[in-house]
Amino acid sequence: MHQTLGRVPLATHVVALSHPLSQALTQSAAPTALEEAAAFGRWWFDPETNQIVLSSQAARYLNVESLHHQGLDSCLIHVVSDDMLRLIGQLSGQVAPTAKSDFRVISPVDGLRWLRMTQLPPDAASSGLVSGILADITPLQHAAMRERLGFELTEFLVGSHPLGDAITNVIQLICKNLGWDWGAYWAAEKSAQGTAQLGCKYFWHQPELDLASFGQESSTISLAPGEGLVGSVWQSGQPDWVEDMVNDLRFSQRTNDRECKLWSGYVFPVTYVSADGHTHSPGVLEFYSCLSRQPEAQLPKLSATIGAFIAQMAQRIEHQATILHLAQVDEMTGLANRSHFHELVTLECAAASKDNTAFGLAFIDLDRFKPINDAFGHEAGNQVLREFGRRLRALAPEGSKVGRLGGDEFAMLIPTAALPDAATLLEHILQSARAPFVYEGIELTVSASVGVSTFPQCGDTCPALLQSADAAMYRIKNNGRNGCHFSSISNTHALAEQQSSIAQRLALETELHHALHGNELFLVYQPIFDIFQQRLEAVEALVRWRRADGTLVPPDVFIPIAEQSHLIVQIGKWVAEQACRDLAILRAARFKELKVHVNMAASEFASKNLADELCALVGAFGLQANSLSLELTEGMLMKRPDQVIPVMHTLRHLGFGISLDDFGMGHSSLALLKNLPISSLKIDRSFVRDLAQQRNDRAIVKTIADLGAQMGLEVIAEGVETDPQLDILRQAGCSLIQGYLLGRPMTLAELLAKHPEGV
Ligand code: C2E
Ligand code: CA
Ligand code: CA
């Protein structure tokens, strides 16, 4: 009997084989054609004696040499211990005849393989024996694993799984399916010096193994390209095996592998090619085992699949990061964009109210930015914005946030700790705006208007704080710009003060009401000269308020108050009527061709009756519509263009003049002018102020004058105080001049005493 087995070494027999078993043994040595074709092995088990006989194919699957085993344990020696206990229980106990059992066998050569043991129904010939077949289902398991990986990936791509969880799940899946004890993902990152390195971001290990210290050690080190096994795999892009970790020099960075008894492993790169054709290497995967495993043929192929999965996740994360970046950052300046800045301020509000602290919000608006854009081109404007953004960032104290809210508007959050030095900070911001910006060798100058609000005094939400700071900023703009205004001081009396100022405002409003009806308002006229024709072209009517006690309230104070109520419309009507009455007087005297400019408020333009009323008015004083010019600012126009522009068209049609006041304050652009029904524009006096010193102001004034001439618009320069300013304006071809140099605002009586050719 033994001889028939030939070369097959048999275990020493302690118990004689039963007849059916020895028959099986004769059969088993020579595999049947069927067995070979279908790739399965056979087995025969005698529950009485606990002996088992394997076919040669089955022995190969179980990674044992002998075909006959005295006990199950020697036969199942390479079966993963959990599975082995289950199998023994099943074979020696009562198992249903068709029962199937899947189990794992681990070998240094093939790694982890999955086998399926199927029990056949008992047949009469081999009475008393249990028999069955054994198949290698490793490819099936790998397919299932790939499917599972695909599922994990989809879950991650569509769901809310963070990358860390997804990758850890994948590592765990691979370890369980391929029989590794440790798995980790090393992700590319930037070192403090800005160089590329790998950090061990996610790992998993068999819970029954004490690999905590190895994990601890791995997560604290970082590897440069080429450093250690992981670093060299990253650098070469090629997978690699390690067969004896303890003695492998490439593991000198990690010493705990000795205590953990990790022995061998497989390390492979994660790479993908992006749409632009670039190859990316976001990281490296490593898997180690406590067994001494040798290169496994199936792994390179599998690792390519696994690498592709991880790569897709990494790519997705990169996309998300870019999308997030794009969604939060202003592309031009790299500062937080409007919506992200809102988020940051909202977070700060929550934190400050929790901690009971205060913080500030500065609203920074560049003055005269639009004209730079218009006169020197968009690239010049962009250069100013980028550079100013850089300057703001450099000035930002620790914990501060800087954002660009759009156009030439910036904002800075002033954290609690920086509040005591806020005044210095704001002064620095103003200085940084005034320092020249160089574009293609040209020095460009702007300035800034800054409004500040404080949490919680001015508001406890981002919109409230921004609105308050914005309002404070506008007060600066209206006061000639380049300055800073605190919406409210950061002390506890601020609220009370704010309230009292509201009370003051209401009192003033009531007083103003009486002023209008009690003849406390009067008009003064400021000459507008045509310097080429040497004659008085027009006068601008400016309203004054002398209180009963003799004090003079400047229009800058009472006009904004009147604008907040309906009072401004009544004042406007009074001014227009008074101006027409006075003009009729002036015309009847020597001022035959004289025109009058009247300032208008935004709400006056909202009235549908405006055109009719003005027609009636000029008619009543025997004047033509073209003797009256209405001044409105760009700001008014931009606030409600859909309401204001149709009214402007009607008025122009009727012959009234329309003058765009304070031009260049930063609301509209020169390009917009082409489509506006206006007859003249007034260059804001802040451009005129520094004409003798600022080259870019000269260029801007020249551009406005040229453009005006091209479009048939009159161009009036305001605030001319010196001869050099006048000379420059003359050279620029600007014919209409208004300012203290040629004439201060004066009463009708004073004007009547003058002469049209030289007031
Ligand atoms: P505005 O329309 O820009 O008026 C020009 C202002 O510049 C006037 O101030 C005028 O006195 C001043 N000004 C003229 N030449 C010079 C100069 O050479 N240097 C300097 N530093 N200033 C000069 P005013 O009269 O205080 O008026 C201030 C603002 O009040 C006006 O600015 C206008 O917006 C508003 N305002 C005045 N009258 C009326 C009115 O009847 N209705 C409305 N709605 N607003 C008015
Ligand atoms: Ca004006
Ligand atoms: Ca003006």
Side-chain angles (χ1 to χ4, degrees):
M1 176 183 69
H2 287 182
Q3 285 79 356
T4 56
L5 294 170
R7 66 215 140 70
V8 182
L10 290 176
T12 328
H13 294 179
V14 178
V15 181
L17 283 177
S18 63
H19 177 65
L21 258 193
S22 61
Q23 248 186 342
L25 196 54
T26 321
Q27 220 180 320
S28 66
T32 64
L34 178 68
E35 238 174 272
E36 288 211 316
F40 67 85
R42 300 207 60 188
W43 54 270
W44 298 265
F45 177 62
D46 186 349
E48 294 267 294
T49 59
N50 213 24
Q51 293 182 48
I52 189 163
V53 164
L54 304 169
S55 74
S56 54
Q57 182 83 303
R60 215 172 4 256
Y61 286 159
L62 288 168
N63 199 31
V64 291
E65 292 202 336
S66 178
L67 297 182
H68 171 227
H69 294 263
Q70 291 293 344
L72 280 174
D73 36 358
S74 77
C75 163
L76 303 177
I77 185 105
H78 292 295
V79 173
V80 170
S81 52
D82 279 359
D83 298 354
M84 182 176 170
L85 293 174
R86 182 166 45 84
L87 274 183
I88 292 176
Q90 277 182 340
L91 282 170
S92 44
Q94 289 76 41
V95 185
T98 51
K100 271 184 206 156
S101 228
D102 293 347
F103 61 97
R104 294 165 293 172
V105 171
I106 193 141
S107 92
V109 183
D110 295 327
L112 188 97
R113 304 201 62 80
W114 288 83
L115 300 182
R116 173 166 295 167
M117 190 185 74
T118 313
Q119 202 172 314
L120 295 174
D123 77 78
S126 49
S127 61
L129 287 191
V130 182
S131 73
I133 54 176
L134 200 60
D136 184 350
I137 55 160
T138 311
L140 274 179
Q141 286 292 335
H142 285 181
M145 178 182 76
R146 278 196 291 266
E147 205 173 289
R148 183 76 216 162
L149 283 174
F151 177 71
E152 283 290 332
L153 181 72
T154 335
E155 282 253 282
F156 165 72
L157 292 183
V158 300
S160 52
H161 287 238
L163 179 73
D165 290 358
I167 291 193
T168 314
N169 282 353
V170 166
I171 293 172
Q172 180 180 354
L173 198 67
I174 294 166
C175 284
K176 285 192 167 158
N177 277 278
L178 300 181
W180 297 107
D181 295 317
W182 160 277
Y185 178 60
W186 291 70
E189 57 187 23
K190 279 235 166 3
S191 72
Q193 290 75 41
T195 57
Q197 63 179 30
L198 286 175
C200 180
K201 281 281 140 60
Y202 315 105
F203 60 81
W204 185 88
H205 59 80
Q206 301 287 358
E208 63 271 20
L209 294 172
D210 181 16
L211 286 173
S213 61
F214 187 65
Q216 172 75 29
E217 186 179 31
S218 301
S219 53
T220 50
I221 60 171
S222 43
L223 299 169
E227 193 182 354
L229 178 61
V230 170
S232 36
V233 164
W234 191 34
Q235 196 174 46
S236 69
Q238 296 301 319
D240 208 349
W241 276 92
V242 52
E243 288 174 43
D244 179 3
M245 284 166 76
V246 172
N247 293 309
D248 197 312
L249 284 178
R250 297 174 298 178
F251 273 88
S252 53
Q253 295 84 5
R254 291 192 272 178
T255 50
N256 273 323
D257 53 336
R258 285 152 213 270
E259 283 123 69
C260 303
K261 303 193 184 62
L262 286 177
W263 196 267
S264 57
Y266 185 59
V267 183
F268 60 94
V270 169
T271 53
Y272 67 91
V273 179
S274 55
D276 57 5
H278 281 98
T279 304
H280 300 258
S281 310
V284 169
L285 279 165
E286 62 173 11
F287 292 97
Y288 301 129
S289 167
C290 295
L291 293 176
S292 156
R293 285 166 71 164
Q294 282 146 35
E296 293 158 21
Q298 66 203 358
L299 266 183
K301 221 164 55 197
L302 260 184
S303 64
T305 318
I306 297 163
F309 279 130
I310 303 263
Q312 276 194 56
M313 291 182 178
Q315 197 175 8
R316 155 80 176 219
I317 289 292
E318 272 174 30
H319 278 169
Q320 277 176 336
T322 333
I323 291 167
L324 194 66
H325 184 78
L326 287 180
Q328 295 187 335
V329 169
D330 166 55
E331 218 184 325
M332 175 96 68
T333 58
L335 301 174
N337 63 17
R338 185 182 193 91
S339 68
H340 186 46
F341 189 77
H342 272 249
E343 285 165 10
L344 294 171
V345 174
T346 303
L347 285 176
E348 193 73 16
C349 288
S353 85
K354 195 166 135 264
D355 304 343
N356 222 354
T357 53
F359 70 90
L361 188 66
F363 191 106
I364 306 150
D365 187 289
L366 287 182
D367 306 318
R368 313 182 303 176
F369 171 74
K370 286 278 178 352
I372 288 196
N373 233 356
D374 290 332
F376 298 97
H378 277 285
E379 208 17 70
N382 292 351
Q383 173 65 22
V384 171
L385 292 177
R386 272 191 293 266
E387 176 58 23
F388 186 61
R390 259 194 293 275
R391 292 178 189 176
L392 277 186
R393 210 184 345 228
L395 288 174
E398 205 181 315
S400 166
K401 310 275 187 286
V402 189
R404 178 170 165 240
L405 305 181
D408 54 357
E409 292 172 0
F410 294 81
M412 187 188 280
L413 188 153
I414 307 168
T416 318
L419 275 182
D421 302 320
T424 320
L425 172 66
L426 295 166
E427 187 43 49
H428 287 157
I429 292 176
L430 293 176
Q431 276 169 13
S432 83
R434 279 196 303 266
F437 296 83
V438 181
Y439 171 72
E440 291 189 343
I442 315 165
E443 276 197 3
L444 306 172
T445 33
V446 297
S447 58
S449 298
V450 183
V452 183
S453 61
T454 48
F455 174 96
Q457 292 84 356
C458 307
D460 53 6
T461 63
C462 175
L465 289 170
L466 272 177
Q467 200 184 6
S468 170
D470 185 35
M473 188 277 294
Y474 261 91
R475 244 173 283 169
I476 291 298
K477 283 256 187 217
N478 292 338
N479 285 339
R481 301 180 264 158
N482 179 35
C484 170
H485 196 284
F486 278 85
S487 171
S488 158
I489 342 110
S490 53
N491 64 35
T492 43
H493 301 299
L495 204 63
E497 269 177 37
Q498 217 172 327
Q499 274 162 353
S500 84
S501 88
I502 292 173
Q504 265 175 17
R505 212 198 65 205
L506 284 173
L508 208 61
E509 209 178 293
T510 322
E511 251 191 279
L512 191 55
H513 200 83
H514 293 304
L516 180 63
H517 301 287
N519 295 327
E520 288 178 18
L521 297 184
F522 66 99
L523 291 182
V524 287
Y525 296 97
Q526 185 174 30
I528 299 172
F529 275 103
D530 185 327
I531 50 167
F532 295 133
Q533 312 248 344
Q534 296 257 340
R535 65 187 178 96
L536 183 65
E537 170 73 19
V539 285
E540 178 178 1
L542 296 160
V543 69
R544 296 287 179 265
W545 175 15
R546 193 186 307 275
R547 278 167 152 155
D549 64 4
T551 54
L552 206 60
V553 186
D556 283 340
V557 171
F558 70 86
I559 293 287
I561 290 171
E563 274 175 341
Q564 287 173 13
S565 67
H566 194 62
L567 219 50
I568 189 66
V569 178
Q570 286 172 272
I571 293 179
K573 275 190 188 145
W574 179 84
V575 170
E577 190 181 329
Q578 190 61 41
C580 286
R581 180 177 293 121
D582 289 348
L583 184 63
I585 296 169
L586 284 160
R587 287 206 164 187
R590 298 177 302 282
F591 301 88
K592 297 272 178 279
E593 310 270 299
L594 192 70
K595 294 173 182 166
V596 70
H597 284 237
V598 171
N599 291 289
M600 300 293 282
S603 47
E604 292 181 72
F605 264 81
S607 153
K608 285 204 183 66
N609 304 330
L610 182 69
D612 289 347
E613 283 168 10
L614 287 175
C615 280
L617 183 65
V618 287
F621 292 102
L623 300 165
Q624 305 289 307
N626 68 5
S627 54
L628 184 61
S629 200
L630 308 166
E631 295 197 359
L632 78 165
T633 64
E634 297 172 80
M636 290 162 49
L637 186 71
M638 298 313 289
K639 247 185 220 159
R640 289 186 230 150
D642 48 328
Q643 243 178 43
V644 171
I645 294 176
V647 179
M648 288 168 73
H649 273 289
T650 315
L651 290 170
R652 282 296 292 141
H653 209 73
L654 291 168
F656 291 99
I658 296 183
S659 191
L660 198 56
D661 204 355
D662 301 349
F663 184 77
M665 276 289 272
H667 301 286
S668 64
S669 70
L670 289 175
L672 190 89
L673 287 181
K674 291 197 185 91
N675 304 316
L676 284 181
I678 55 172
S679 49
S680 66
L681 56 90
K682 301 183 82 171
I683 305 175
D684 190 61
R685 69 169 183 270
S686 68
F687 291 103
V688 173
R689 187 178 55 206
D690 300 327
L691 262 187
Q693 294 84 38
Q694 302 289 356
R695 265 180 62 196
N696 67 309
D697 282 357
R698 257 176 279 168
I700 288 164
V701 164
K702 175 90 178 103
T703 310
I704 298 176
D706 289 351
L707 207 95
Q710 267 176 39
M711 299 193 315
L713 297 177
E714 290 180 335
V715 176
I716 305 166
E718 284 189 304
V720 182
E721 294 178 350
T722 68
D723 285 317
Q725 289 168 347
L726 186 63
D727 282 344
I728 293 165
L729 287 163
R730 184 182 286 121
Q731 280 162 32
C734 182
S735 61
L736 297 171
I737 305 290
Q738 179 181 2
Y740 294 168
L741 180 70
L742 299 184
R744 292 195 172 242
M746 57 190 91
T747 58
L748 177 68
E750 286 169 320
L751 190 57
L752 279 168
K754 308 272 180 185
H755 200 269
E757 275 77 45
V759 179

